[in-house]
C-alpha cells in the first residue's frame, strides 16, 4: 500500500471518529431522545433495551477509535522532531544556570586560584537522550515517565567551556571539556512540560494525532456515565 493510500485511510478514519464523537456529544448535551431517530430518512423507534442505548453508542465510538489507531501511520504517536528540538534547546538553556556552581568549581580547578577573575568566551552544549543511545524513548506513552531512574540517566548534557583568566598578571586561556551533567528529574520534567505545551500550540502533531483520541475518549466517557446513571444510580434511587 502506498504512502498516499495510508494517509488517505487515516484521514478517513479520523474524520469518522471526530464526526461520530461530535454527534453523540451533541445528542448528550441537548438531551436528545435516543429512543426515536431517523436513519436515511426512515423514522426508527426503539422498543427494547432502551436503557442500554447509551452503551451501544459508546461501543460504536470505541469501534471508530480502534479503527483510528489501526489506520494511524507508524510513528504517529511519537513526539515530533520540532518538539524534541524545543526540549533540547530548553534543557541546554537551563542546565548551565542550574549547575553554575559545579561549572564554576571546575573552572576554578583549572585556574587553581580562588580569586582569579574568569571571563567566559565560549559555551558549547550538546544533549544526548535515550532514543539516541539505544531504545526509542520518544513515544508519547513514555513522555511523562521520567520518574524511572534508569530512564532519567539517559538524558545527558555535555558542556564545553572556553574562558580566559588572569594569572601572575598575564591573561591565559582555560577550557573545561566534555563535562557530562545528568539533569535532575525535576528539571527534565519542566523542560518536557514546556516542550509539550509549546509543541502542541505551534505544531499540528497534537491536533492531528492526540486531540482526536482525547475527544473520542471524552465522548465515550460521557455516554458510559449516562448509561451507568440510568441503569444503576437512577434505579437505586
Amino acid at each position: 500500500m502506498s504512502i498516499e493510500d495510508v494517509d488517505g485511510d487515516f484521514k478517513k478514519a479520523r474524520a469518522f471518529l471526530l464526526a461520530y464523537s461530535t454527534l453523540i456529544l451533541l445528542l448528550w448535551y441537548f438531551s436528545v431522545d435516543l429512543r426515536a431517530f431517523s436513519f436515511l430518512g426512515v423514522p426508527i423507534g426503539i422498543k427494547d433495551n432502551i436503557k442500554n442505548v447509551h452503551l451501544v453508542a459508546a461501543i460504536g465510538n470505541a469501534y471508530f477509535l480502534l479503527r483510528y489507531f489501526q489506520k494511524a501511520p507508524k510513528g504517529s504517536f511519537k513526539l515530533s522532531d520540532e518538539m524534541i528540538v524545543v526540549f533540547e534547546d530548553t534543557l541546554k538553556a537551563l542546565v548551565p544556570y542550574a549547575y553554575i556552581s559545579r561549572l564554576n568549581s571546575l573552572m576554578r580547578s583549572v585556574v587553581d586560584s580562588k580569586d582569579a577573575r574568569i571571563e567566559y568566551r565560549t559555551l558549547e552544549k550538546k544533549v544526548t537522550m535515550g532514543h539516541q543511545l539505544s531504545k526509542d524513548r520518544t513515544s508519547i506513552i513514555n513522555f511523562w515517565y521520567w520518574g524511572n531512574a534508569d530512564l532519567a540517566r539517559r538524558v545527558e548534557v555535555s558542556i564545553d567551556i572556553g574562558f580566559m583568566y588572569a594569572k601572575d598578571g598575564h591573561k591565559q586561556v582555560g577550557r573545561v571539556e566534555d563535562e557530562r551533567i545528568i539533569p535532575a528529574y525535576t528539571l527534565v520534567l519542566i523542560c518536557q512540560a514546556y516542550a509539550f505545551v509549546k509543541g502542541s500550540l505551534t505544531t499540528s502533531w497534537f491536533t492531528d494525532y492526540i486531540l482526536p483520541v482525547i475527544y473520542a475518549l471524552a465522548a465515550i466517557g460521557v455516554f458510559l456515565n449516562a448509561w451507568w446513571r440510568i441503569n444503576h444510580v437512577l434505579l437505586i434511587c
Side-chain angles (χ1 to χ4, degrees), residues 27-70:
L27 294 177
W28 164 78
Y29 184 78
F30 292 108
S31 301
V32 176
D33 188 357
L34 298 178
R35 293 173 298 180
F37 59 93
S38 177
F39 181 72
L40 297 178
V42 179
I44 299 176
I46 300 176
K47 294 183 179 180
D48 298 326
N49 299 317
I50 296 175
K51 293 183 295 184
N52 294 324
V53 64
H54 292 86
L55 177 62
V56 174
I59 292 174
N61 205 30
Y63 164 77
F64 284 116
L65 180 59
L66 176 61
R67 292 291 293 170
Y68 172 80
F69 282 122
Q70 291 174 340

Side-chain angles (χ1 to χ4, degrees), residues 188-200:
V188 173
L189 184 62
I190 291 173
C191 295
Q192 286 185 330
Y194 176 77
F196 186 81
V197 172
K198 183 176 180 179
S200 298

Side-chain angles (χ1 to χ4, degrees), residues 78-94:
K78 294 179 180 178
L79 301 179
S80 65
D81 292 338
E82 293 88 346
M83 297 179 74
I84 294 176
V85 169
V86 172
F87 168 73
E88 291 183 350
D89 289 344
T90 306
L91 195 62
K92 286 190 289 186
L94 293 181

